[in-house]
Amino acid sequence: RPELNLMVTADFILPASTLNVVPGDPVLRNTIRVWDFSSRSITRTIPVPGALGTMDVKLIPNDPEGRAFTAGMFDGFVYLVNTRDGTAKAVFDCEDIVPHIDVPVRGGMVQLLAMPESGDRLIFASFQAGQIGMLDVSDPEHPVQSGIVNLGLGAGPHDIALTHDDKRLVATDYFLDEDDF
């Protein structure tokens, strides 16, 4: 949001902790970084209480408050992030998605997000549940499920992107390969 001099990024994981040369389990993170867009400097770090693995964050287009959405990959919640006051709160429980797909990770493992320029919908990929969902976020404090596509268990939708005209959504499955490093 250059017009607000605002940029956000998500802290998902300590990257080195995913390599087999680093002892222990991967270290998940749960913070959103708020940046001064023009100077590319971090102005605030917002912890997302209870979230496990905040992989992506999307600013709400045209939102005068500069709010954003993120999701906890391992806790199953969608969070509304207030970049001005440094808070985040759960606003949607992905366990409530209909139809519900029972998988080992709560909420189906929601990962990456997409948001059209209208700012009234949030689209998410649910990796373990094999679903791509859409929330009506015209009231950001109270998102409501407005759509779901079931690709089937094992489909693993991960990366999603809207075309420039917001008319088509492209989805791919998981892409990471660390070559046993």
Side-chain angles (χ1 to χ4, degrees):
R1 301 276 312 268
E3 75 280 8
L4 296 179
N5 193 33
L6 178 63
M7 183 169 73
V8 292
T9 56
D11 292 324
F12 167 62
I13 198 165
L14 177 61
S17 73
T18 68
L19 303 175
N20 64 9
V21 295
V22 176
D25 292 330
V27 178
L28 294 171
R29 294 184 171 165
N30 70 334
T31 52
I32 301 301
R33 306 285 178 157
V34 179
W35 297 73
D36 177 295
F37 181 76
S38 61
S39 70
R40 304 298 198 272
S41 60
I42 295 172
T43 60
R44 167 178 276 153
T45 299
I46 302 172
V48 183
L52 292 172
T54 50
M55 184 176 275
D56 197 4
V57 59
K58 294 292 184 221
L59 285 163
I60 303 170
N62 305 312
D63 182 62
E65 298 177 49
R67 294 175 296 177
F69 287 105
T70 191
M73 186 167 145
F74 294 100
D75 73 345
F77 287 97
V78 172
Y79 296 87
L80 181 62
V81 179
N82 187 315
T83 61
R84 289 188 178 162
D85 68 12
T87 61
K89 66 179 180 177
V91 292
F92 186 82
D93 187 347
C94 294
E95 277 291 295
D96 295 337
I97 292 171
V98 177
H100 174 76
I101 306 293
D102 194 29
V103 294
V105 174
R106 185 181 192 294
M109 197 177 265
V110 172
Q111 297 181 341
L112 299 179
L113 310 170
M115 181 167 258
E117 283 301 312
S118 60
D120 61 348
R121 291 170 287 149
L122 181 69
I123 303 164
F124 58 87
S126 182
F127 181 75
Q128 272 198 345
Q131 296 176 314
I132 296 177
M134 184 166 54
L135 300 178
D136 176 336
V137 294
S138 52
D139 176 358
E141 303 267 345
H142 304 97
V144 177
Q145 180 182 334
S146 60
I148 197 80
V149 174
N150 287 307
L151 303 173
L153 285 174
H158 175 69
D159 194 15
I160 58 176
L162 285 164
T163 56
H164 292 294
D165 61 5
D166 287 340
K167 292 185 178 184
R168 289 185 175 79
L169 181 76
V170 178
T172 64
D173 62 3
Y174 199 68
F175 61 88
L176 181 63
D177 182 2
E178 293 183 327
D179 296 324
D180 290 327
F181 178 68

